[in-house]
Amino acid sequence: MPCLTLVESTSTHEKKQIDGPVVNVTKHISFPQFRLDDPKIIHEVKLLGSAILSKDAIQIPDESQASDLRHQAGRAIYSYPIRLLDPVSQTPASFETTFSFQFSNSSTTSFLGDHPTSSNGLLGNNTGGSGLTFIIVPDEFTVGRPGPWLAMLNDACEENYKAFAIEFDTRQNPEFGDPNDNHIGINLGSIISNKTVNASDFGISLKDGSVHEARVVYDGGRRWMEVHLGPNPVFSGFLDLSPLLNEYMFVGFSASTGNLTQIHSVFSWNFTSTSQASLRFPSQETCESKLINKYDRGGFQSQESSQPQRSRKAEPPASFLIFIAVMVLAIIAVASLFYIGRRKRAQKNAVVLPEKKQRPRPPNKPHKFTTTEVSSATRGFNEYEILGSDSRGVYYRGKLLNGTQVAIKRYSAEFLSSQLGLDRRRLLKEITSMSKIRHPNLVPIKGWCQGNREVMVVYEFYTNGSLDKWLFGVGVLPWTRRLKVVKDIADALSFLHSKQLAHKNMKTSSVFLDVSFRAVLGDFGFVLSSTESSRFEAAVSQQVDVFEFGIFLLEVVSGRGRTDTDVSQEERDLVDFAWRMHETDEKGRVVDRRMGSLVNLEQAIKVVEIGLLCTLNESKGRPNMGEVVEFLSLDGPIPELPPSRPMALFPYNSTTGLCTGYACTPFK
C-alpha cells in the first residue's frame, strides 16, 4: 500500500502531506485449474451458497448437496480484497481477466423419448437456467437471489449496493430486458443490463455444452472496456466503473438456477489489476539539517573553533574529579543498603495475599455492551444503517470494533413506556436468559445494552435478510425452499418450548435466512407481564406462539401477508379465507399460484391443514410444537379438522401480530 509520510514545516511546524510520484500497484491471480488437493485453492477461493469444488472446477449449483437443483444460488469469490480505485484521483484500476467455463446438465441426466431430462423432471440441454456472471462486489459473504438475479443481486439489497457484472445468460427474462436466451450482458449496479449482446450473432451457443473462453480487458484511465468470447470481440466501448467501485473490492463468479436448471462450471481463471497510487515524499528535515540549522543560529560551534578559546587554567585537576566521584558512589551505596534493610523488615510483618487472577471472558459469550460501543457500531444510529422497524423499535446494522457485523434492535421509548414494557428489569432478565440458548435455527444473541433509559439487543447479522422480503418480494420462492423454512422454524419453536421459554413475536419478519438459505428465528418478543407468574406467562406465550406459527404457515404457503389490501374483501383476512376454503373443500386456492406447476400441491394443502390446526382453540385440538414438528415430516396422518371454523378462534392484532385481550389466557 502507498506510504503516507507526515513532514514538519521548518517555518510553521505544521504537519502536511507532500505529493510524490504516481506509482502502479499490481495484483495478479492465477488458477490454471481448481484442484481439490491444492491448499492454495482452499485458502484463496471462498465458496458461498450452493457452490462446490468438484472435478477440477468450480461448480454452481452443488448437485451433491441439493436434492432439487432448481432455485439455487452460489458464488465463488477470491478471498482477499483487491485495490480497484484510487480514492485521490477517483481513477478506476485497469484490469484483465480470462476464464474458461461451461454450461451442462446435471450428472443425473437421463433420456425420456427424444427429449433429455434430468432426474428431477427438468428439461435438459435446450432449456438453460439461468446463467453465470463475472462479478466485482463490495463484500465476500453475500449471496444474491436465484433465478434471473444470477446470485448477483436480490430485491432485499440496498439501492446503493455497488456491484459490477458481466453475465452469460441462458434464460430470457423480458421483464429485465433480455433479448433472448443466449446473450451476454454488462450490468452496472443493476440486474437490468446496460448493454446486451446476442451471442448467436457470433455463432456462439452458450448452452451447447462447449467450454468457452472469455476475456475481459478494462483500461481504467480511458474508461474503456473490451469483452471477448473465444476469438470474437463481442463488445468494446466507453464504460466508467468509478461510481461502482470502492477502493477495495472482491472479484469472482456467481451463478444461479430458476425453474429450469443447469450446472455452471469454471475451469480456470486469471486476473491481473493495476491501480495507480500517489506516494508521498519523505520528510526532508533530518537530524543533520537540524544540527546545521542550530549551528547557523549560533547554538553550536565546531571543536576546532572553540579549542583556542578554552582556558587551560580553568580546567579542574584530575585528582579532584576522582575524589568527588568516589564520594558520590559511597553515598549511593550506603543509602541503598539502608533502603533494602528497611524493606525486608516491612515484608516480614506484612500479610501476603494471593494474587487475584482475572478470568478471561470467552470472546463469543454474550455480554453487556456500552452505549458508546453500540453507537459507534451503528455510526451514531445513522439512518443509512436502518434495516427495518416495527411497533417495538428499529433494527440497525452495525459493525463491532473486531469487524463482526451485527444487527441491533433499539427498542422505542413508546414501547418501553407502554404496558408491555413496564417492568424493565424483568425484560432485561429475559434477554440475558434467552442469550444463553443455542440452537441451529435460532439467531444467536451477542449481547445487550442498557443505558440512558434505553434497551437494545445485539444479534448476529444475516446478509440474506428476513423472510418477508423474499416471500412477498418481486421473485418467487420455490416450494422446496418454503417447506424447508417452515420445518426449520418449527424445530426452533419446539426447542424453545422444551426449555419452558417462548418466542412471543412469531412472524415472517422475525425469520432470517443465512448464506445457505437455512431459516433461523430471531427478533424475540421479550414481552413479560409483571402481574403473572413466569410459569403461567410461559404457558400462555407458548400457546400464542403456536397460533402465530399457524398463521406463519398460511403466509408461507400463500405467499401473502395475514392481511392484504390488494385482494378482494372476502380474501383480505388470510385466516378467514383459509377456513372458508376448508369449508368448501377448496384449500388449493390458498396455495401461491405464482409457484405454478412446480409446487407439490398435496404437500402444500397438508401444510395449510397444519396451519389451520394451529389456529384452533387450545381445548379444541390445537397441537403443541412438538406435535407440529411431527406433522411437518409429512410422513403420517394429521388430526382431522372440524368441518367448519370454530367460533372462538384465538384473537390477534393483525397489525402487530400480537395476541390481545382476555383470550390471551389459556382456554379451558
Side-chain angles (χ1 to χ4, degrees), residues 467-579:
L467 176 66
D468 58 331
K469 293 182 173 63
W470 293 81
L471 194 61
F472 311 136
V474 177
V476 181
L477 278 179
W479 170 247
T480 53
R481 185 150 292 165
R482 299 191 197 202
L483 184 59
K484 180 67 166 59
V485 164
V486 298
K487 288 181 177 181
D488 287 345
I489 301 307
D491 286 340
L493 276 180
S494 178
F495 175 79
L496 279 179
H497 291 187
S498 70
K499 300 296 184 182
Q500 303 304 311
L501 297 168
H503 185 268
K504 306 171 187 171
N505 194 28
M506 181 64 243
K507 52 187 178 180
T508 55
S509 61
S510 299
V511 175
F512 301 87
L513 300 174
D514 70 4
V515 71
S516 60
F517 283 84
R518 174 174 54 97
V520 290
L521 183 59
D523 195 13
F524 300 96
F526 303 125
V527 180
L528 287 168
S529 171
S530 59
T531 62
E532 299 169 345
S533 69
S534 59
R535 180 178 298 180
F536 181 76
E537 191 274 336
V540 173
S541 297
Q542 288 174 13
Q543 292 176 26
V544 177
D545 280 351
V546 176
F547 180 81
E548 295 292 331
F549 183 76
I551 301 175
F552 171 76
L553 289 180
L554 297 178
E555 290 181 300
V556 172
V557 174
S558 66
R560 46 164 288 196
R562 56 188 66 192
T563 57
D564 192 347
T565 57
D566 294 333
V567 296
S568 62
Q569 183 67 37
E570 67 170 354
E571 298 183 15
R572 188 158 296 178
D573 187 288
L574 180 58
V575 180
D576 287 340
F577 174 64
W579 272 105

Side-chain angles (χ1 to χ4, degrees), residues 57 106 144 150 338 350 429 447 517 608:
S106 166
L150 301 173
F338 174 77
K429 183 178 179 181
F517 283 84
V608 170

Side-chain angles (χ1 to χ4, degrees), residues 39 72 114 170 197 292 299 311 396 445 560 579 587:
Q72 300 290 323
D114 296 328
T170 56
V197 177
I292 293 173
S311 174
Y396 291 88
I445 297 176
R560 46 164 288 196
W579 272 105
K587 290 187 287 290

Side-chain angles (χ1 to χ4, degrees), residues 1 24 89 147 153 195 217 249 271 357 404 426 582 597 615 659 664 666:
M1 293 181 61
N24 290 328
S89 64
L153 292 174
K195 175 69 176 178
V217 181
M249 303 284 284
F271 179 90
K357 294 183 178 180
T404 303
R426 291 195 66 190
H582 165 67
S597 60
T615 62
C659 174
C664 290

